[in-house]
Amino acid sequence: MRTPIIAGNWKMHKTIGEATEMVRKLEELVADSSVEVVICAPFTSLSSLSALGLNKVKLGAQNMFFADQGAYTGEISAAMLLDAGCEYVILGHSERREIFKEDDELINKKVLKALEAGLKPILCVGETLKQRKAGETEKVVVEQTTKGLAGVSPEQISQVVIAYEPIWAIGTGETSDGNDANQVIAAIRQAAAELFNPELAGQVRIQYGGSVKPGNVKEFMDQPEIDGALVGGASLNAEDFVGIINY
Ligand code: 13P
């Protein structure tokens, strides 16, 4: 049984005050949920959120660098994220790939470092509209999955969460339909089975992301291969995010 995991990716939103106000509310509203709830907040808010002494809501970051320390201006290490109270870290988000030119090789180094340090990576994969139209969706996500997970050990793989986020569905209000997303996620799981084995691949939680809202989340969560959601815009507001968590 894979425990559903619903994560909010706040991207570059919320000051410390705004972040603590919302997480305080969320912690009360979802206290009894059987779903694992994660907030991936900006770096600046993480230690303040951790200081709230959260019981239910878990914390994640949105990126990290693979080196332990050194002259890497502007970067954040795995140890720093653990120190700030993180359990998860989003890696390879399409915005990092597209805007900041991160490639599979760099993302793989980050995945390996996160796991070595004891952080759980949320590895994002997904195709562009052009790739979808060219019929390349499965090929693209399988390649991103295989390269992103290179060198991960059988002992580590159950710690990894994968998020399938079709790029054309992010922030656009367009979504993949449940069946389609299920099929792509099945291909991702198959890629993990080829890297490891079907039993280990069966333990990996794979989320759908891209314009998930209270009104469409059930369509995804009802699918047998989909184990959760990675939510952008609708995670910024407690009412919407709770509506998603209580699908
Ligand atoms: P939206 O939910 O705003 O489409 O964002 C999805 C996303 O990128 C989450 O990582």
Side-chain angles (χ1 to χ4, degrees), residues 9 11 93 95 165 169-172 209-213 230-234:
N9 173 11
K11 308 189 181 184
H93 191 279
E95 287 149 18
E165 299 203 303
I170 295 178
T172 58
S211 297
V212 174
K213 310 276 179 236
L230 183 57
V231 185

Side-chain angles (χ1 to χ4, degrees), residues 197-218:
N197 62 47
E199 196 198 330
L200 287 176
Q203 295 172 11
V204 177
R205 291 178 297 173
I206 310 182
Q207 300 170 308
Y208 169 79
S211 297
V212 174
K213 310 276 179 236
N216 64 22
V217 61
K218 197 167 180 319

Side-chain angles (χ1 to χ4, degrees), residues 165-178:
E165 299 203 303
I167 295 172
W168 48 271
I170 295 178
T172 58
E174 301 239 355
T175 56
S176 173
D177 79 75

Side-chain angles (χ1 to χ4, degrees), residues 2-7 35-38 88 122 161 205-207 221 227-230:
R2 300 185 293 260
T3 306
I5 174 166
I6 303 222
V35 169
E36 193 172 345
V37 178
V38 184
Y88 288 91
I122 301 177
V161 175
R205 291 178 297 173
I206 310 182
Q207 300 170 308
M221 296 307 289
D227 306 313
L230 183 57

Side-chain angles (χ1 to χ4, degrees), residues 18-88:
E18 291 162 347
T20 47
E21 189 192 329
M22 169 151 166
V23 169
R24 258 204 205 107
K25 240 189 250 174
L26 193 62
E27 175 82 357
E28 266 177 41
L29 293 170
V30 300
D32 300 325
S33 171
S34 54
V35 169
E36 193 172 345
V37 178
V38 184
I39 287 289
C40 300
F43 294 134
T44 47
S45 294
L46 290 169
S47 56
S48 303
L49 294 177
S50 174
L52 295 175
L54 303 169
N55 290 312
K56 175 62 188 171
V57 177
K58 295 178 172 175
L59 296 178
Q62 302 169 16
N63 184 29
M64 57 164 248
F65 194 53
F66 62 78
D68 288 328
Q69 56 186 11
Y72 304 104
T73 301
E75 294 296 318
I76 299 270
S77 73
M80 292 170 188
L81 295 183
L82 287 166
D83 191 36
C86 287
E87 182 171 331
Y88 288 91

